Amino acid sequence: MGSMMTAFSEGMSLAQKADLKQEDLLEVLSLGAMNNPLFNMKGPALINESYPAAFPLKHQQKDMRLALAL
């Protein structure tokens, strides 16, 4: 999940820097194979630059450590 959020956040940032509407990127992602409930849930928060904590950091760090150990 951490790597998916990282890639999604980078894509949203790239869209913004390329003067593309982030809402359009969300729509395009929702129409294809990359459709993901996580993106649909977090996309509006990223657009509004609202970053409420929703998952303990220690759990995400654990997941990333396990992924790196593979």
Side-chain angles (χ1 to χ4, degrees):
M1 184 166 47
S3 60
M4 288 172 38
M5 272 307 297
T6 300
F8 178 60
S9 299
E10 290 289 331
M12 292 290 280
S13 179
L14 181 61
Q16 183 181 34
K17 289 178 181 178
D19 291 326
L20 300 172
K21 291 183 182 177
Q22 292 176 318
E23 292 87 352
D24 291 345
L25 176 59
L26 279 178
E27 182 181 355
V28 168
L29 290 174
S30 73
L31 296 173
M34 291 300 295
N35 188 18
N36 183 314
L38 179 67
F39 298 164
N40 295 330
M41 183 177 73
K42 296 292 186 179
L46 287 174
I47 291 169
N48 295 322
E49 298 184 8
S50 172
Y51 311 106
F55 190 75
L57 182 59
K58 66 181 179 180
H59 296 315
Q60 191 162 359
Q61 288 174 328
K62 173 201 56 107
D63 292 347
M64 295 306 290
R65 279 195 301 275
L66 290 173
L68 289 171
L70 293 176

